[in-house]
Amino acid sequence: MTSMTNTSTATRGEAHDTPPESGGVRKPWNPLTPPPLQITHTPGWRLTVQPDPSPTDVTCIVFQTTQPDFGLDFEADVYADGTTSSCICPTGVSPCTSNREGWTPDALADLATATERLQVWLDDCATALQWTIDHTAEISRRLRAGGRTPAQE
């Protein structure tokens, strides 16, 4: 997964990247309102278009999040051709250390206590992916209608 920047533009003062879990409303994508999640994700629900040189390869980045304890990133995307993509991959900071000291018993114990946070994070990723799959047809239709977010239509 590559690092991507937010390419959406707000119109009429509407916030396109306000996460629903923070109480924000994403009017431009209604009725495509993502469900609330258990925890706050950064950046979380995006629903932003990542333009591509080819109109058939336009991508909507639906959801992105990082799980810092275990050094994992998750992303769910929809393409204009109606396909979806999702991945979990290591971030630049991973729990593997290459220093000579290696892990300490305290560091391992701290990581063990983070497993509950990992479980909640994975549950939210599953919710985001299911919502993405359920709305792939509508998102890809909107992408084919010009490769723009509904706010730009």
Side-chain angles (χ1 to χ4, degrees), residues 21 37-41 117 120-121 124:
E21 62 268 24
L37 301 173
Q38 299 176 65
I39 59 175
T40 299
H41 297 269
R117 289 190 299 272
V120 172
W121 184 80
D124 278 359

Side-chain angles (χ1 to χ4, degrees), residues 3-148:
S3 174
M4 297 182 207
T5 58
N6 183 340
T7 59
S8 71
T9 57
T11 57
R12 297 181 308 281
E14 298 168 303
H16 300 279
D17 297 314
T18 304
E21 62 268 24
S22 70
V25 177
R26 192 186 317 279
K27 292 180 183 178
W29 279 92
N30 284 341
L32 296 181
T33 303
L37 301 173
Q38 299 176 65
I39 59 175
T40 299
H41 297 269
T42 302
W45 294 108
R46 300 237 356 239
L47 294 171
T48 56
V49 175
Q50 189 71 23
D52 192 275
S54 167
T56 59
D57 292 332
V58 174
T59 307
C60 177
I61 303 166
V62 177
F63 185 79
Q64 283 181 317
T65 183
T66 297
Q67 206 298 327
D69 299 309
F70 290 86
L72 298 172
D73 286 334
F74 174 79
E75 181 171 319
D77 304 318
V78 173
Y79 297 91
D81 67 2
T83 58
T84 60
S85 171
S86 61
C87 64
I88 292 179
C89 58
T91 59
V93 178
S94 100
C96 288
T97 61
S98 60
N99 64 25
R100 293 182 185 262
E101 292 84 34
W103 285 90
T104 65
D106 287 342
L108 289 174
D110 289 345
L111 191 59
T113 63
T115 57
E116 287 183 22
R117 289 190 299 272
L118 177 64
Q119 181 177 353
V120 172
W121 184 80
L122 288 168
D123 287 345
D124 278 359
C125 290
T127 298
L129 181 57
Q130 186 62 59
W131 185 90
T132 300
I133 291 168
D134 292 346
H135 293 86
T136 294
E138 177 62 16
I139 293 170
S140 64
R141 182 195 66 76
R142 291 178 183 200
L143 289 172
R144 286 189 308 274
R148 301 172 300 173

